[in-house]
Amino acid sequence: MLMQPQSPDPKFDFMLKDNQKPKRRLALPGMSKPVKIILGVVLAVFILIIISSTLSGRNKGATQPIINAMARGQETLRVTHAVQLLNLQDPTTQAVAATTLSSLTSDQQQLKVYLANNHTKLSAALLAADLDKTTDAQMLSASQNNNLDQAYKTYLQQSLTKYQADLQIAFKLAGPKGKTILKNAYDGAGTLLANPPLKS
């Protein structure tokens, strides 16, 4: 006599039945595939804009002190050019002026490249932030009174000291590459200040 298989206990029906509903993908109802792709691209661009603006905001805070230092250096270069045209008399002062031009021009170029690599644009207006035409009048008056060398040395002492202070502030906020450039610029200004014509 064959035994009839017993029907499973109804309490365990849940194990035998596939009650799981199929997983549904997140879908945008009633939209064609090209429309969905366009929406995805727009969303991605929007996210990139937000990230970019956040990063550029941080970058601005870190680069503004560098721009301030560059403006100080730019003004020192401008005055040094003007003084050279007025004819310095002392050969040691002439040498300091030439070294100042070389050193600060190198600083400016390196800092411009650094800022460009950090997506920071420079303008002539930003670099002219420390422009002071009264210095020109003072140097012209000193030249007419045969006191140009001393007037320029006094100016350069004060200007390079301020330049160092600006570089120090910028150094604290800069990245590793910026710190190297700023430290070299700071040391260069210190070397100029240690020269006999400027050493107090």
Side-chain angles (χ1 to χ4, degrees):
M1 182 174 169
L2 292 171
M3 292 186 67
Q4 292 281 339
Q6 292 182 347
S7 61
D9 191 335
K11 289 190 292 189
F12 298 106
D13 277 356
F14 71 93
M15 293 172 69
L16 300 173
K17 291 181 183 173
D18 187 9
N19 289 331
Q20 290 185 343
K21 293 180 181 175
K23 290 183 181 176
R24 294 176 64 186
R25 289 187 300 171
L26 181 64
L28 298 172
M31 292 190 187
S32 66
K33 193 170 184 178
V35 172
K36 291 176 188 176
I37 291 170
I38 291 169
L39 277 174
V41 170
V42 169
L43 184 62
V45 169
F46 182 70
I47 290 168
L48 283 174
I49 290 170
I50 291 172
I51 291 169
S52 174
S53 64
T54 303
L55 291 176
S56 66
R58 283 186 203 162
N59 198 30
K60 188 176 179 185
T63 56
Q64 188 58 49
I66 294 175
I67 295 169
N68 296 344
M70 288 181 73
R72 177 78 60 194
Q74 187 71 22
E75 176 62 3
T76 306
L77 285 170
R78 188 191 70 77
V79 172
T80 300
H81 275 298
V83 165
Q84 285 183 320
L85 294 174
L86 291 171
N87 295 322
L88 294 163
Q89 300 299 315
D90 182 14
T92 55
T93 310
Q94 291 172 354
V96 168
T99 307
T100 299
L101 282 177
S102 174
S103 180
L104 267 61
T105 299
S106 174
D107 294 349
Q108 296 286 95
Q109 288 169 347
Q110 290 180 61
L111 289 169
K112 277 180 188 175
V113 170
Y114 173 75
L115 290 177
N117 289 339
N118 283 278
H119 312 291
T120 302
K121 292 183 181 179
L122 279 174
S123 66
L126 286 172
L127 289 176
D130 279 353
L131 180 68
D132 185 1
K133 287 290 187 179
T134 60
T135 306
D136 298 354
Q138 290 168 358
M139 294 300 151
L140 182 59
S141 174
S143 175
Q144 292 166 347
N145 293 319
N146 294 320
N147 194 29
L148 179 61
D149 290 77
Q150 186 54 51
Y152 174 65
K153 286 188 282 188
T154 302
Y155 165 80
L156 197 55
Q157 280 176 324
Q158 294 170 352
S159 184
L160 288 174
T161 301
K162 290 175 184 174
Y163 181 55
Q164 279 193 312
D166 288 344
L167 290 168
Q168 204 165 20
I169 292 167
F171 180 87
K172 292 174 184 174
L173 297 171
K177 288 181 183 177
K179 282 185 190 296
T180 302
I181 298 167
L182 292 162
K183 184 184 184 308
N184 291 339
Y186 182 91
D187 292 344
T191 302
L192 287 167
L193 286 166
N195 273 319
L198 300 183
K199 200 171 181 180
S200 25

